[in-house]
Amino acid sequence: MQNKKILALFDFCDTLIGMQTANRFVTLVYQKNKRLDTIANEFIRIIGRKSRLLFGNRHKMWQLKQIKGLTVSIMEEIVKEYVENELIPKENKKVVNKLLWHKKQGHIVGIVSGGFSDYIKYYAQKYDVNFVIATDLEVKDGVYTGNIDGIDCMGINKIEKLRQVINIEDYDLKNSYAYSDHISDIPLLSLVGNPYVVNFGQDIKWAKLMGYRIINV
């Protein structure tokens, strides 16, 4: 067991970063990608949200229509601006300090998020994070299609994608760590022996019932 490495897994939204990042990101992309089709899609999206016909994953899929047709080069510019101007200023310092501590200990640090990998990977470079597992956006011939590439990295899908990237058996899970804010991450938190829930004022009764440790931010 002593030869096995220790993992430190971090959710992104409302964990490392004190906001939900995906919706804001798509809004920024839409502002740089306004065409007749994306304007029409945005109008339908607003009506769908107000009438409560679009919610959850269905809303997320519809939002991605706003990305269709954007080039990789323009996306790179948006990502850089988004991370540096909006995400880094909203870091949860207590959680980031945990990440830095794990790096110092020589642990293998990964971000596992339902957000989009484009901006999370750019952010991860700042802290030399070992790997990022997130929702990938499909690109064909240098252009975004408006679809997800693979599976949406939420809930139990995080474990599936994690197993695609690393060999779980190589790690000492009993002594590994995971950090998240949301009940949907119980599968991720239950994977390790040291689960932490980030409390930013939401209902964390579920976390207390599960016996998880709490980080108040």
Side-chain angles (χ1 to χ4, degrees):
M1 183 67 73
Q2 66 268 22
N3 294 324
K4 291 194 172 185
K5 294 169 281 190
I6 292 176
L7 277 173
L9 304 173
F10 289 82
D11 182 34
F12 195 66
C13 302
D14 288 325
T15 299
L16 283 167
I17 304 297
M19 61 180 280
Q20 288 292 314
T21 63
N23 288 350
R24 174 59 181 159
F25 177 67
V26 175
T27 297
L28 288 176
V29 172
Y30 170 62
Q31 291 172 358
K32 298 286 181 71
N33 195 38
K34 286 187 177 181
R35 305 188 312 269
L36 284 177
D37 59 335
T38 58
I39 291 171
N41 285 332
E42 178 65 3
F43 177 76
I44 295 170
R45 185 192 71 82
I46 292 171
I47 297 299
R49 288 290 280 177
K50 288 183 177 179
S51 60
R52 299 183 180 180
L53 294 174
L54 285 177
F55 54 88
N57 190 61
R58 181 185 294 180
H59 178 248
K60 187 175 185 178
M61 297 303 103
W62 194 272
Q63 275 189 306
L64 292 182
K65 294 176 183 291
Q66 311 302 61
I67 294 175
K68 183 178 180 180
L70 196 75
T71 64
V72 168
S73 59
I74 294 176
M75 179 66 86
E76 289 173 349
E77 295 174 5
I78 296 171
V79 162
K80 183 176 186 293
E81 177 183 327
Y82 184 46
V83 172
E84 295 179 358
N85 295 342
E86 298 196 29
L87 298 189
I88 290 175
K90 292 191 176 181
E91 287 180 320
N92 283 327
K93 296 301 182 183
K94 281 188 178 181
V95 185
V96 171
N97 286 340
K98 288 283 188 181
L99 186 154
L100 294 173
W101 179 82
H102 286 294
K103 290 294 294 183
K104 190 174 182 180
Q105 301 306 308
H107 299 162
I108 303 301
V109 175
I111 296 176
V112 187
S113 171
F116 300 121
S117 57
D118 296 73
Y119 59 83
I120 297 176
K121 286 181 178 179
Y122 185 90
Y123 172 87
Q125 295 173 13
K126 179 182 179 184
Y127 297 111
D128 194 26
V129 170
N130 297 94
F131 62 85
V132 170
I133 296 169
T135 301
D136 299 317
L137 298 174
E138 186 180 60
V139 177
K140 289 185 177 180
D141 299 322
V143 176
Y144 285 81
T145 66
N147 299 315
I148 284 177
D149 187 1
I151 60 175
D152 193 8
C153 192
M154 298 288 289
I156 194 66
N157 287 351
K158 289 187 176 183
I159 306 301
E160 182 177 343
K161 292 200 75 170
L162 183 67
R163 287 185 175 277
Q164 292 172 1
V165 172
I166 66 171
N167 184 1
I168 293 290
E169 285 67 35
D170 289 343
Y171 295 89
D172 178 2
L173 296 180
K174 183 178 179 180
N175 290 303
S176 290
Y177 299 75
Y179 301 82
S180 180
D181 68 292
H182 201 271
I183 191 172
S184 66
D185 276 333
I186 285 178
L188 187 71
L189 294 165
S190 298
L191 184 68
V192 300
N194 297 292
Y196 286 83
V197 170
V198 177
N199 174 27
F200 58 88
Q202 80 278 31
D203 182 0
I204 58 167
K205 181 180 178 180
W206 61 275
K208 295 176 180 178
L209 288 172
M210 293 294 292
Y212 298 149
R213 281 169 271 189
I214 309 298
I215 299 176
N216 296 308
V217 297

